[in-house]
Amino acid sequence: MSLSKILSFSLLLAIAFTLYGVNENAGTTGFNNLKIVYSARAVGMASAMTGINETPEGLQFNPAAILNASDKTITSTYCNYVVDSNAGALHAIYQYDEKTAFGILLHYLDLGEMDKTEVTTHNEYLETGETFGASDLIIGASAAKNINPMIDLGVTLKYITDNIDSYSASALVLDAGLIHHPANEKIKVGVSLRNLGKQITYYTSENYNEKLPFTFAAGLSYKLTPNLLAAFDLSKPTGANVGIKVGMEAKVHPMFTLRAGYNSYAPDWKTGGDWEWSSGLTCGAGFNWKNIQLDYGLSSYGNLGFVNQVTLAYNF
């Protein structure tokens, strides 16, 4: 059996494993800042990025994909998240040689100030007049290597801190990914394991372990035409059902790109109201001039609101 057939069969097994997953642990994971997407391009394509190669987004979705993204790339992302919180990221990619690439990442999330409340003996909430803050920080480093003409491999090591009021916790996690290049050059296949790791400090002296949001993902991208890319992902995070993500990217002009997608986790965001129908829909656009790339992404959380992201990239 050829290596290509073995990898294709492995992907089918991976997808079967993904579909088999159930959500017995729904809502039980900690360090949920690991689930936030920091890329306007990825947001516009509903995060269907696991099977897309040669992209800085590999730092978040599949570390093998950072190979040949560019000789040197720096990207900065800003996001106004739900409930008036703010998030941002700084990514850098360095192509060491034609078969090796390295990357670093910095992500932050600031949830702002919130009112402190207490629970009375009658189970009613009572305002104290005090406030507290919450924030998260992720730093990481990636490496990717071309093993042979058919396979790229990559790993990312991340350190996470989670802070709320005067309490904090931290963890060390690893992402691992593979990009397969079939005989058909229009197709790319990706598999990634994200957030494998261990908590190293705790919110309280009882050392209660927060479950990490481990995610298994398999993805496929297909270059329909030189200017039209389609992507499809299946993912299974701990504490959630299987997710299907579909994205499209169309270069309508050498300097302008349009994107759209759908994320099947939409039912989790349907809370009723006029905008419920839009839950899970995404769109975006990209503008490039010389070495500068500016991307915008918009995703709908139904009546919870819209999330906007802007990414600025510079290729050396």
Side-chain angles (χ1 to χ4, degrees), residues 64-128:
I66 67 173
L67 272 173
N68 301 310
S70 178
D71 287 342
K72 298 174 185 176
T73 301
I74 294 178
T75 71
S76 178
T77 299
Y78 173 76
C79 168
N80 71 323
Y81 210 55
V82 293
V83 294
D84 296 325
S85 55
N86 298 286
L90 183 66
H91 295 161
I93 305 290
Y94 173 64
Q95 187 75 27
Y96 179 74
D97 57 35
E98 62 180 10
K99 292 188 176 183
T100 310
F102 301 100
I104 57 174
L105 63 88
L106 172 66
H107 298 168
Y108 77 88
L109 172 66
D110 183 4
L111 297 175
E113 294 292 319
M114 292 165 276
D115 294 327
K116 281 187 177 182
T117 59
E118 295 179 350
V119 180
T120 68
T121 55
H122 300 290
N123 291 324
E124 296 176 342
Y125 291 103
L126 178 67
E127 293 188 7
T128 64

Side-chain angles (χ1 to χ4, degrees), residues 21 60 134 158 191 201 206 226-227 241 250 283 301 304:
Q60 299 177 74
K158 296 180 289 190
V191 176
T201 63
E206 286 80 11
N227 294 320
N241 286 319
C283 63
Y301 286 70
L304 295 178

Side-chain angles (χ1 to χ4, degrees), residues 10 16 20 48 55 133 163 173 176 178 203 230 245 248 257 264 286 310:
S10 299
Y20 180 75
T55 177
N163 306 282
V173 301
L178 175 151
Y203 289 109
K245 303 169 185 177
M248 298 287 291
T257 302
S264 74
V310 177

